Amino acid sequence: MKKIVLTAALGALAVLATAPAFANEDLAKKKNCLACHSVDKKVVGPAYKEVAAKYKGDKGAVDKLATKIIKGGSGSFGPAPMPANPQVSEAEAKQLATWVLGLK
């Protein structure tokens, strides 16, 4: 009986551990980020995995990316500018940046 309960508990933890990743992808869809980006391939903008690799080890990356998400930017990944996305709050931008930076 203990083994069944332990197995069920571990299964529930696995689902909960992956839930934020899905929630952040859902947020990216909701905020229209996936119109120009993809997790693993370049669309108009860089793949999120490419962004994560570029900023790996950068302690200020979450704040930098959150600002770019809200205000837009250009030059980091080529000549195409990233437009501002004023429909994203600062908290949502940080959530999205954290998710992107966690991709491998």
Side-chain angles (χ1 to χ4, degrees):
M1 184 65 172
K2 287 181 185 178
K3 192 173 188 178
I4 293 171
V5 171
L6 180 61
T7 302
L10 290 174
L13 284 174
V15 169
L16 290 175
T18 59
F22 291 121
N24 288 310
E25 188 169 359
D26 288 343
L27 181 59
K29 287 177 187 173
K30 180 180 174 185
K31 297 300 180 174
N32 228 11
C33 303
L34 298 177
C36 296
H37 296 278
S38 167
V39 170
D40 57 359
K41 64 182 176 191
K42 178 177 174 43
V43 182
V44 174
Y48 287 143
K49 287 183 179 183
E50 184 181 356
V51 175
K54 180 174 183 161
Y55 289 96
K56 184 177 181 178
D58 183 340
K59 302 287 186 223
V62 170
D63 290 332
K64 287 177 195 175
L65 292 178
T67 299
K68 282 189 179 196
I69 290 167
I70 294 169
K71 294 183 178 180
S74 65
S76 296
F77 288 90
M82 179 171 153
N85 196 341
Q87 69 173 345
V88 177
S89 71
E90 186 175 340
E92 290 169 331
K94 286 185 177 189
Q95 183 181 9
L96 288 165
T98 301
W99 171 64
V100 167
L101 292 169
L103 295 171
K104 295 180 170 62

